[in-house]
């Protein structure tokens, strides 16, 4: 690294600084930009979109997403993805005419698609603001320090891969990083891992707090299948380690098709058939069918059945399965050497899974392995076939003015009352409390939940100041993170944070003051509704717990 690059230290100022360009960060920036403010947005990778793009995960959504249960701008993302396929690919007449086109006919979502398409759509949404000069985007940068006084963040310094540093300042600073990385840098009180039942009263929490007990993260990859080819990779050096890796609750080695059923914890054998025949009607409704019983179709992002013959030689599917959940340790609040070791371990596990699929996986015909399986990095924007970043399920979480607990939304606890109705609602969401196995040795925790709201108080640190949570780092617990971490909810959280910062700028107030004043809360909510937010679920028998 040259000295002049390492010493470069630029300064930039905007009204609002958003650290982290995942779904929450992009939504926050767009909310502020629509209101006429200037924004600096940073992102650790070269793609915006986080779990939807750089992490390679098709959207996990509730079953009513096509009609209600998301903000207007989130719907614009989904519409943009479908429009891309209609404009640029040879869809069959039936697929082109389908209002609810699902390019991959995957079972995890009603909109399974290539991550590269979502990245392009998000870039298109921010492009007018970049051209106008009101939005500055700093890609491939990560926060390395912050200056703050009594919860007020004065500056945030981000670093690029060449060692160049950029000092950023704004009236409001939003943390939309995947792991809540700004919180320790700025001295904002936060929580990691599992809170104890003695603190939260949650039935599914451990008796005592376990700060290092964090949901597994995964390094996903994309696969296609060449029936007549042999694309077998070199045997990974640590393959024997992963081939024999067997958590005590797994019912066998992780490299296999047997894994716990998340809801019963009993052993469940999944099937896997590359380019399996596509059923006529894919439901893609996890309230009725978890979707992961057939792994090829589960997260398939391109299905040949949707396109004219000859366009695709193979379907393309995303491998984000239980078998690649990394359980050997957390990457939160550890030294850099430990973090790098666990990140490398997650990639190694995924590579071992690929090799096992190519060489040892049992086939329906009695044979072993599919050597024609091969990586498709182009759909993930990489040369190696792996996502640009690991899929992060759990972040540091602010100690908030309001913390959402299991008692707020568990169907077993709330029953026909439904989830708690918050007077300061800034949005809605729905998903089961779905916690993957953890670094502390926990099996799945899977709890039926009721359609819920997002309380404003969960976005604001208890100590006040000018920092807002704009992603998975809002005031949930380890348990309720399991249903507040999904795509439309993260987008809504970030969008509400960007709107709140804007409201405070325009009214000369602070987030804590807004939260404490019912009149201001009501005025803010009116603005949200005008901007396409849904603050309460429809009063309908269709909207139910699952």
């Amino acid at each position: 690294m040259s000295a002049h690059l390492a010493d470069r230290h630029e300064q930039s100022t905007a009204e609002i600084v958003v650290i982290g360009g995942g779904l929450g960060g992009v939504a926050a920036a767009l909310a502020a930009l629509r209101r006429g403010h200037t924004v600096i947005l940073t992102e650790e990778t070269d793609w915006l979109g986080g779990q939807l793009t750089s992490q390679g995960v098709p959207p996990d959504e509730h079953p009513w997403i096509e009609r209600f249960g998301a903000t207007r701008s989130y719907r614009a993302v989904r519409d943009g993805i479908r429009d891309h396929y209609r404009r640029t690919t040879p869809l069959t007449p039936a697929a082109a005419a389908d209002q609810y086109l699902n390019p991959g006919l995957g079972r995890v979502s009603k909109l399974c698609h290539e991550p590269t398409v979502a990245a392009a759509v998000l870039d298109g949404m921010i492009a007018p603001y970049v051209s106008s000069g009101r939005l500055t985007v700093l890609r491939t940068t990560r926060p390395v320090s912050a200056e703050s006084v009594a919860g007020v963040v004065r500056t945030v310094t981000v670093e690029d891969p060449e060692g160049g540093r950029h000092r950023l300042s704004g009236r409001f600073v939003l943390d939309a990083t995947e792991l809540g990385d700004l919180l320790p840098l700025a001295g904002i009180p936060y929580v990691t891992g599992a809170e104890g039942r003695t603190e939260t009263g949650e039935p599914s929490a451990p008796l005592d707090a376990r700060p290092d007990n964090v949901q597994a993260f995964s390094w996903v990859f994309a696969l296609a299948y060449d029936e007549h080819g042999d694309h077998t990779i070199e045997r990974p050096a640590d393959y024997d380690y992963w081939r024999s890796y067997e958590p005590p609750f797994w019912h066998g080695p992780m490299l296999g098709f047997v894994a716990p059923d998340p809801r019963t914890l009993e052993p469940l054998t999944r099937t896997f058939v590359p380019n399996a025949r596509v059923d006529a009607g894919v439901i893609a409704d996890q309230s009725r069918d978890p979707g992961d019983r057939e792994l090829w179709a589960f997260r398939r992002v391109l299905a040949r059945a949707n396109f004219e013959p000859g366009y695709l030689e193979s379907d393309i599917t995303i491998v984000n399965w239980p078998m690649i959940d990394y359980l050997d340790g957390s990457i939160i609040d550890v030294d850099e050497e430990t973090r790098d070791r666990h990140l490398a371990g997650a990639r190694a596990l995924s590579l071992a899974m690929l090799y096992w699929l190519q060489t040892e996986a049992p086939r329906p015909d009695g044979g072993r392995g599919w050597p024609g399986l091969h990586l498709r990095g182009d759909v993930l924007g990489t040369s190696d076939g792996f996502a640009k970043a690991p899929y992060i399920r759990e972040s540091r979480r602010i100690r908030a003015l309001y913390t959402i607990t299991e008692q707020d939304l568990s169907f077993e606890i709330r029953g026909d009352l439904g989830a708690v109705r918050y007077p300061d609602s800034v949005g809605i969401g729905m998903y089961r409390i779905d916690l993957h196995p953890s670094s502390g040795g926990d099996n799945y925790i899977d709890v039926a939940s009721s359609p819920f709201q997002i309380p404003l108080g969960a976005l604001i640190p208890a100590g006040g100041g000018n920092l807002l949570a704009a992603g998975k780092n809002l005031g949930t617990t380890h348990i309720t993170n399991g249903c507040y971490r999904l795509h439309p909810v993260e987008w809504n959280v970030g969008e509400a944070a960007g709107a709140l910062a804007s409201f405070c700028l325009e009214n000369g107030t602070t987030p804590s003051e807004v939260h404490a004043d019912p009149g201001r809360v009501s005025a803010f909510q009116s603005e949200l509704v005008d901007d396409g937010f849904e603050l309460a679920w429809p009063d309908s028998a269709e909207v139910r717990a699952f």
Side-chain angles (χ1 to χ4, degrees):
M1 181 191 304
S2 64
H4 76 279
L5 284 175
D7 293 341
R8 191 175 79 244
H9 209 136
E10 300 177 357
Q11 179 131 1
S12 300
T13 300
E15 290 173 295
I16 298 171
V17 174
V18 182
I19 305 297
L23 284 175
V26 174
L30 287 170
L33 291 161
R34 289 196 302 271
R35 290 161 171 79
H37 300 292
T38 57
V39 176
I40 297 171
L41 174 64
T42 75
E43 164 53 27
E44 194 163 349
T45 72
D46 60 348
W47 270 8
L48 300 176
Q51 59 178 319
L52 186 66
T53 60
S54 58
Q55 297 174 30
V57 180
D60 290 290
E61 300 168 330
H62 57 74
W64 314 289
I65 191 67
E66 302 293 5
R67 289 171 293 129
F68 50 79
T71 69
R72 181 190 300 149
S73 65
Y74 184 78
R75 296 192 182 287
V77 177
R78 300 175 91 255
D79 291 344
I81 290 168
R82 285 177 168 142
D83 288 346
H84 173 93
Y85 285 100
R86 292 191 178 101
R87 287 186 291 102
T88 65
T89 62
L91 294 168
T92 65
D98 186 357
Q99 178 183 359
Y100 302 124
L101 171 67
N102 187 348
L105 292 173
R107 295 185 181 277
V108 73
S109 172
K110 297 178 184 297
L111 183 60
C112 289
H113 55 83
E114 300 159 277
T116 187
V117 171
V121 169
L122 293 175
D123 280 349
M125 292 177 74
I126 66 167
Y129 302 107
V130 174
S131 297
S132 72
R134 289 199 291 112
L135 172 63
T136 300
V137 182
L138 300 176
R139 301 176 194 251
T140 63
T141 61
R142 61 186 183 92
V144 293
S145 66
E147 301 172 7
S148 63
V149 178
V152 176
V153 182
R154 304 296 189 190
T155 66
V156 178
T157 298
V158 297
E159 184 176 74
D160 63 36
E162 296 181 316
R165 294 198 166 192
H166 309 256
R167 183 182 289 116
L168 313 176
S169 60
R171 297 273 301 280
F172 288 90
V173 176
L174 278 53
D175 185 349
T177 59
E178 297 300 321
L179 292 171
D181 288 332
L182 194 54
L183 303 180
L185 298 177
I188 304 299
Y190 64 90
V191 182
T192 64
E195 296 90 345
R197 198 180 316 145
T198 52
E199 177 185 355
T200 68
E202 295 173 301
S204 299
L207 181 61
D208 299 313
R210 301 175 63 193
D212 59 347
N213 188 30
V214 177
Q215 282 192 78
F217 65 95
S218 307
W219 214 307
V220 313
F221 55 96
L223 280 183
Y225 181 57
D226 173 4
E227 183 179 0
H228 304 291
D230 186 344
H231 300 270
T232 306
I233 63 172
E234 184 178 349
R235 180 186 175 94
D238 53 2
Y239 183 69
D240 289 341
Y241 172 80
W242 293 112
R243 185 67 183 86
S244 61
Y245 189 86
E246 184 174 336
F249 54 80
W250 204 262
H251 312 294
M254 282 191 76
L255 297 189
F257 290 143
V258 179
D261 182 309
R263 299 183 187 181
T264 69
L265 305 185
E266 294 298 316
L268 176 67
T269 301
R270 276 72 168 181
T271 61
F272 177 75
V273 182
N275 288 329
R277 182 180 65 83
V278 176
D279 294 334
V282 175
I283 297 174
D285 179 352
Q286 292 193 57
S287 68
R288 290 190 280 170
D289 173 12
D292 67 344
R293 275 47 176 168
E294 205 300 298
L295 293 171
W296 181 267
F298 181 37
R299 295 183 183 271
R300 182 174 48 207
V301 293
L302 282 183
R304 291 177 299 171
N306 268 333
F307 301 91
E308 294 291 351
Y311 177 66
L312 291 174
E313 294 183 359
S314 170
D315 300 342
I316 300 175
T317 194
I318 297 291
V319 176
N320 176 23
W321 308 338
M323 302 79 175
I324 65 165
D325 283 359
Y326 181 78
L327 304 176
D328 268 4
S330 169
I331 54 175
I332 297 177
D333 287 350
V334 296
D335 60 68
E336 189 169 352
E337 180 181 353
T338 301
R339 180 180 184 273
D340 290 346
R341 174 166 55 84
H342 290 319
L343 290 172
R347 288 179 66 94
L349 170 58
S350 293
L351 193 66
M353 185 67 196
L354 170 62
Y355 184 76
W356 181 83
L357 289 168
Q358 292 175 323
T359 61
E360 293 193 65
R363 301 195 309 260
D365 64 6
R368 291 278 175 176
W370 285 272
L373 292 170
H374 59 99
L375 294 165
R376 284 292 302 265
D378 53 315
V379 305
L380 293 164
T382 63
S383 60
D384 63 7
F386 287 80
K388 293 174 179 286
Y391 172 36
I392 301 298
R393 295 182 176 89
E394 186 171 338
S395 170
R396 299 175 181 90
R397 304 178 297 279
I398 62 169
R399 289 202 175 273
L401 289 175
Y402 186 87
T403 299
I404 304 155
T405 65
E406 184 178 359
Q407 299 92 304
D408 285 8
L409 49 90
S410 164
F411 179 70
E412 184 175 350
I413 296 171
R414 299 287 303 174
D416 292 339
L417 290 174
V420 170
R421 293 169 175 82
Y422 305 117
D424 61 342
S425 172
V426 293
I428 57 178
M430 177 55 188
Y431 211 73
R432 287 179 70 88
I433 296 176
D434 170 22
L435 276 77
H436 280 235
S438 68
S439 59
D442 288 345
N443 202 339
Y444 285 95
I445 298 174
D446 193 280
V447 178
S449 63
S450 300
F452 53 80
Q453 296 174 317
I454 303 167
L456 177 65
L459 278 59
I460 305 171
N466 69 338
L467 181 142
L468 295 170
K472 293 187 289 289
N473 56 349
L474 79 162
T476 62
T477 63
H478 172 70
I479 301 298
T480 55
N481 162 264
C483 58
Y484 273 76
R485 64 181 175 83
L486 288 311
H487 300 65
V489 180
E490 182 187 355
W491 182 277
N492 193 324
V493 168
E495 191 172 3
L500 177 60
S502 301
F503 183 86
C504 290
L505 284 170
E506 293 153 13
N507 291 277
T509 188
T510 69
S512 296
E513 290 170 344
V514 172
H515 181 262
D517 183 342
R520 284 173 168 162
V521 169
S522 180
F524 178 53
Q525 289 172 321
S526 294
E527 288 192 8
L528 294 182
V529 171
D530 289 343
D531 197 28
F533 283 63
E534 297 175 23
L535 306 187
W537 284 96
D539 185 12
S540 167
E542 179 184 4
V543 181
R544 65 192 187 283
F546 69 83

